[in-house]
Amino acid sequence: MQCLSTILVLSAVFAGSSCYEVTNLTFPASFLFGTATAAYQIEGAWNESGKSVSRWDHITHTSSIVVDGSNGDVACDSYHKYKEDIEMLKQLGVDFYRFSIAWTRIIPSGFANDINQAGVDYYNNLIDGLLEAGIEPWVTMYHWDIPQVLNYIGDFSNPYTIDYVVDYADVLFSLFGDRVKTWITFNEPLSFCAHFPLSSAAFGVHLPAGISEYLCSHNIVIAHAKIYRLYQLKYKWEQNGRISIALNTEYAEPATDSPADIEASNRKLLYDLGWYAYPLVHGDYPRVMIDTIRNLSAIQGFPFSRLPMFTLNEKVIIRGAYDFFALNHYTSSLTADASSVIGSPSFLNDDLVEQFKDPAWGNSSASWLTVYPEGLRKLLVHIKETYNDPEIAITENGFADEPGVLNDVGRVSYYQSYLSEVLKAMLEDGVKVTAYTAWSLMDNFEWYNGYTVRFGLYYVDFDSPDRTRTAKESAGYYRNVIQTRCLTENCGT
Ligand code: GBH
């Protein structure tokens, strides 16, 4: 087997597992390629033109949890430089651009009483500019920047927030739905309900672990379904768009081939992805979550299961509330059974598994992101088999390296190998993948990691007042893939 392909300068790319055979299958002409960003990570202009304070403005201004002490006050300055962003997207030749709208720019009070025209103008300009360039706008309604006023009342763990976010969605459909045909309601509830609040008090949600994650996720599933149903009743006939929710998961690779570890891996996927996908596809939480969390809650002295129940009416609106399956995926973990360990109440303990990384997998500059492309293919097959063979759009996938790397061979190799597994899943396993999104268009504010970790196809110079953008090697590689539909130099040979 040859190590990687001959294209570009691809020596020594996989720290660890250096041999990966890239397929010479090709993407069908109908397959869509895009890139993604999120409002807080790129826009800057945090207090301009009527925008109010979001949770992330609040966190970065009042705590010290971001490793380099930075914030998104200016970020990539895309609020002023969106035309340059569109030029980059044109250079890449993408079919679509997935970006998010800042709730705090559209309805700064947090409630839909007043609409901020300057915010509306910004997104109108962006959407119209994209359409003129022949690029479809794919809009995420919520990528973690909740108005701080709603964070104060408990964020999504407060059921009133369901109504407020549905009102916000209604405003977005009415303002932009004539031109936006692909909507993502929420980005990664697993991240913002389960991973983040636990890692920092800065989030300001003071409900105990083991309770807050489940309330948040429960309300998100209901809110998503209400937004979906609102659209069907009020807008679908006229606007004819498609709606989903971007769900993220690692692939859980069994640590050994023991039945207990295989079951643990399956359980982990049902906890991380099934928590949301099971209600949407099958009408309720996965059986293993219902039973396990009820039992653990009883042992821990709770008079109720910490996993809430859906009412019959809720089940009816939730089941089927999606037009396609939207998947964010970056990495995998080895997974082992830990069902004899009963920890303190917490979503992260309730799954009764232990996870760690295979030292043979390649690394990135984010500790959580190791390179295991086969995990994506296995995950796609798992989704096909578990969720009624849905159409799948990969709404994020990408690689982290250090600031300033322009000859980003690690990223090129990551995209090449992960896309290779997407092709195999499609053409050899029959998984209906119809779109792929590279995270991210450009380097941006990487949440807790500030500007120390980079995901962009374009480098951004955060020291320059212009926030100068420069194409990396990976931008050229991705452009070539989009043009040729092929990952190597020898497709079809
Ligand atoms: C995506 O989440 C986000 O949607 C996007 O905004 C972000 O820029 C991109 O990833 C790159 O990070 O620090 O060990 O607790 C990816 C899923 C879930 C990965 C939370 C990091 C925290 C791991 N993320 N996880 S840890």
Side-chain angles (χ1 to χ4, degrees):
M1 182 175 85
Q2 222 194 329
C3 289
L4 293 162
S5 76
T6 49
I7 201 165
L8 301 171
V9 207
L10 281 178
S11 50
V13 271
F14 276 38
S17 69
S18 52
C19 284
Y20 178 85
E21 202 169 7
V22 177
T23 179
N24 61 3
L25 294 167
T26 56
F27 286 96
S30 60
F31 192 88
L32 301 177
F33 288 98
T35 65
T37 59
Y40 186 75
Q41 296 181 271
I42 66 161
E43 283 179 6
W46 75 280
N47 62 354
E48 264 179 63
S49 314
K51 179 183 165 296
S52 68
V53 173
S54 77
R55 156 191 265 187
W56 272 92
D57 293 315
H58 180 77
I59 291 174
T60 55
H61 293 161
T62 60
S63 82
S64 51
I65 61 165
V66 177
V67 295
D68 57 358
S70 66
N71 56 49
D73 287 5
V74 181
C76 306
D77 202 20
S78 285
Y79 188 69
H80 300 111
K81 296 173 76 76
Y82 70 90
K83 286 186 181 151
E84 270 183 51
D85 297 349
I86 296 172
E87 284 309 310
M88 282 146 42
L89 293 159
K90 280 161 75 174
Q91 274 179 19
L92 289 171
V94 291
D95 301 297
F96 65 91
Y97 176 45
R98 176 178 173 232
F99 62 94
S100 83
I101 290 182
W103 190 342
T104 50
R105 272 191 210 292
I106 300 293
I107 43 178
S109 76
F111 310 97
N113 56 323
D114 266 326
I115 294 177
N116 176 32
Q117 191 55 42
V120 176
D121 292 345
Y122 172 66
Y123 295 110
N124 272 335
N125 289 336
L126 175 58
I127 290 166
D128 292 344
L130 289 168
L131 289 172
E132 268 164 42
I135 299 166
E136 280 178 41
W138 285 26
V139 172
T140 309
M141 298 177 170
Y142 179 72
H143 201 123
W144 309 351
D145 46 354
I146 193 167
Q148 178 58 16
V149 284
L150 297 179
N151 197 38
Y152 282 129
I153 65 161
D155 178 56
F156 285 103
S157 59
N158 184 335
Y160 280 106
T161 307
I162 298 173
D163 290 343
Y164 304 140
V165 76
V166 174
D167 292 343
Y168 164 57
D170 196 355
V171 168
L172 296 186
F173 291 142
S174 72
L175 289 170
F176 307 119
D178 56 336
R179 288 152 293 153
V180 174
K181 302 300 167 191
T182 302
W183 294 96
I184 299 294
T185 54
F186 298 98
N187 183 68
E188 300 190 351
L190 177 70
S191 294
F192 69 78
C193 291
H195 290 158
F196 285 0
L198 297 181
S199 55
S200 171
F203 273 85
V205 176
H206 296 298
L207 282 166
I211 301 284
S212 67
E213 310 93 307
Y214 295 114
L215 292 182
C216 175
S217 293
H218 197 71
N219 292 332
I220 286 294
V221 171
I222 295 168
H224 166 81
K226 286 193 168 177
I227 293 169
Y228 185 86
R229 299 300 166 196
L230 169 84
Y231 189 80
Q232 307 310 304
L233 285 173
K234 197 168 164 187
Y235 298 99
K236 177 79 176 184
W237 184 79
E238 205 181 332
Q239 298 184 353
N240 200 28
R242 306 197 323 147
I243 304 181
S244 193
I245 175 171
L247 302 180
N248 64 301
T249 188
E250 298 189 351
Y251 182 68
E253 181 72 270
T256 71
D257 53 15
S258 76
D261 286 352
I262 292 170
E263 197 184 315
S265 298
N266 199 40
R267 184 162 70 240
K268 182 62 177 163
L269 287 169
L270 289 172
Y271 269 71
D272 282 1
L273 189 61
W275 197 3
Y276 312 98
Y278 235 82
L280 291 169
V281 178
H282 302 299
D284 205 348
Y285 293 121
R287 192 78 243 164
V288 68
M289 286 186 79
I290 296 173
D291 291 346
T292 310
I293 298 163
R294 190 189 47 227
N295 291 342
L296 290 172
S297 301
I299 294 168
Q300 290 156 344
F302 290 90
F304 55 87
S305 174
R306 291 182 282 99
L307 181 71
M309 289 191 298
F310 293 116
T311 65
L312 200 55
N313 281 344
E314 286 166 349
K315 288 181 186 175
V316 168
I317 67 156
I318 288 164
R319 186 173 177 171
Y322 61 99
D323 297 311
F324 60 97
F325 198 111
L327 174 72
N328 290 4
H329 172 80
Y330 290 83
T331 192
S332 296
S333 285
L334 294 177
T335 309
D337 178 53
S339 51
S340 55
V341 188
I342 298 181
S344 56
S346 156
F347 170 77
L348 296 179
N349 290 335
D350 287 344
D351 55 20
L352 304 176
V353 308
E354 242 166 36
Q355 289 195 301
F356 40 95
K357 295 293 190 179
D358 188 331
W361 295 342
N363 294 315
S364 77
S365 55
S367 56
W368 56 272
L369 203 171
T370 49
V371 182
Y372 181 58
E374 294 86 347
L376 176 52
R377 178 179 183 179
K378 293 178 182 182
L379 178 59
L380 291 169
V381 171
H382 165 85
I383 292 171
K384 174 187 167 74
E385 288 172 351
T386 313
Y387 301 110
N388 294 347
D389 194 11
E391 176 190 335
I392 303 173
I394 296 171
T395 37
E396 281 182 33
N397 177 241
F399 178 80
D401 59 10
E402 314 256 317
V405 182
L406 290 175
N407 184 22
D408 54 342
V409 289
R411 180 166 295 102
V412 172
S413 142
Y414 180 97
Y415 281 131
Q416 190 175 37
S417 59
Y418 273 72
L419 282 166
S420 174
E421 294 298 311
V422 173
L423 273 171
K424 289 191 230 164
M426 291 167 65
L427 303 176
E428 289 171 15
D429 307 327
V431 183
K432 293 189 291 212
V433 186
T434 55
Y436 175 88
T437 316
W439 181 276
S440 176
L441 171 61
M442 61 191 143
D443 293 343
N444 55 50
F445 177 77
E446 180 51 25
W447 310 112
Y448 295 108
N449 285 318
Y451 300 102
T452 65
V453 166
R454 303 295 177 89
F455 276 88
L457 295 163
Y458 284 76
Y459 165 77
V460 177
D461 180 359
F462 292 101
D463 294 327
S464 109
D466 283 342
R467 297 299 191 269
T468 319
R469 289 110 156 95
T470 310
K472 303 181 189 177
E473 280 296 330
S474 56
Y477 177 69
Y478 196 45
R479 180 178 58 222
N480 195 55
V481 170
I482 295 171
Q483 250 169 32
T484 62
R485 314 259 125 194
C486 167
L487 302 172
T488 67
E489 280 173 335
N490 53 3
C491 284
T493 60

